[in-house]
């Protein structure tokens, strides 16, 4: 029944079905979700199908996500980037890195988080740029991604972000410093707390 409803004429119904598939952990429906990524006319449906596939751990969705990186909608590109970071390996780092310069901040933020999940020898260059991005969401995602990657070189930049004007950035920077375990950051963290 769920698979049939993925072809319903209403995108609201298709989106609700995708949510139900994700919540029910219906990994057996991954091929149908991949079909939605490739063929659905609604970009929100395509993005939500990618998010569901990531949640389900459907590595067979990687080829569809690679194609979706070229989608005209930023939500689809961001979801594809997120899936590749979560389910891909180091072989996908070179595909994720160019997304860090996407014109849309949603995609750059997804790339920052994804780069934190896949081993990338040159990700420090991307993190350095993303931690200085004009968009606060990208800076916060880069703080988390750099910490997830274990990039110790991020500490000075994260210390700078403790005084960012946007609270989510400050929180992400503090968490990132804590995750990196740099004891030299303790005085700055105490000062930021005050």
């Amino acid at each position: 029944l769920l698979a049939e409803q993925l072809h319903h004429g209403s995108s609201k119904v298709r989106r609700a079905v995708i949510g139900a598939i994700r919540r029910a952990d219906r990994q057996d429906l991954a091929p149908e979700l991949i079909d939605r990524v490739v063929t659905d006319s609604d970009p929100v449906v395509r993005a939500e199908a990618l998010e569901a596939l990531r949640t389900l751990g459907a590595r067979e969705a990687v080829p569809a996500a690679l194609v979706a990186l070229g989608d005209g909608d930023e939500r689809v590109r961001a979801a594809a980037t997120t899936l590749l970071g979560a389910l891909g390996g180091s072989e996908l780092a070179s595909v994720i890195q160019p997304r860090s310069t996407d014109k849309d901040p949603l995609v750059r933020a997804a790339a920052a988080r994804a780069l934190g999940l896949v081993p990338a020898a040159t990700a420090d260059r991307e993190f350095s740029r993303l931690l200085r991005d004009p968009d606060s969401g990208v800076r916060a995602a880069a703080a988390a991604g750099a910490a997830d990657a274990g990039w110790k070189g991020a500490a000075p930049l994260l210390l700078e972000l403790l005084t960012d004007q946007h609270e989510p950035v400050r929180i992400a920077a503090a968490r990132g410093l804590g995750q990196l375990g740099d004891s030299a950051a303790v005085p700055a963290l105490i000062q930021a707390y005050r």
Side-chain angles (χ1 to χ4, degrees), residues 16-78:
V17 170
I18 290 168
I21 290 169
R22 183 177 55 237
R23 286 187 300 280
D25 197 29
R26 292 289 306 271
Q27 297 176 12
D28 60 308
L29 294 176
E32 286 81 0
L33 290 173
I34 292 169
D35 179 66
R36 290 296 86 204
V37 170
V38 175
T39 64
D40 206 281
S41 61
D42 185 336
V44 177
V45 171
R46 295 193 305 272
E48 289 185 9
L50 283 160
E51 291 167 9
L53 287 159
R54 177 188 54 80
T55 301
L56 295 172
R59 289 189 52 80
E60 64 268 32
V62 168
L66 289 168
V67 172
L69 290 175
D71 198 280
D73 189 275
E74 69 277 1
R75 294 165 293 191
V76 177
R77 293 193 312 275

Side-chain angles (χ1 to χ4, degrees), residues 36-149:
R36 290 296 86 204
V37 170
V38 175
T39 64
D40 206 281
S41 61
D42 185 336
V44 177
V45 171
R46 295 193 305 272
E48 289 185 9
L50 283 160
E51 291 167 9
L53 287 159
R54 177 188 54 80
T55 301
L56 295 172
R59 289 189 52 80
E60 64 268 32
V62 168
L66 289 168
V67 172
L69 290 175
D71 198 280
D73 189 275
E74 69 277 1
R75 294 165 293 191
V76 177
R77 293 193 312 275
T81 302
T82 300
L83 182 146
L84 293 171
L87 302 180
S90 60
E91 72 279 3
L92 293 177
S94 64
V95 174
I96 295 169
Q97 284 177 317
R99 308 302 158 230
S100 71
T101 60
D102 193 279
K103 65 182 177 192
D104 192 274
L106 187 64
V107 179
R108 293 194 308 274
R113 291 304 307 251
L115 286 170
L117 301 174
V118 296
T122 60
D124 55 344
R125 196 171 47 237
E126 271 70 44
F127 284 129
S128 293
R129 183 176 27 76
L130 292 166
L131 287 165
R132 294 180 176 100
D133 195 275
D135 185 87
S136 62
V138 174
R139 291 192 306 277
D148 287 344

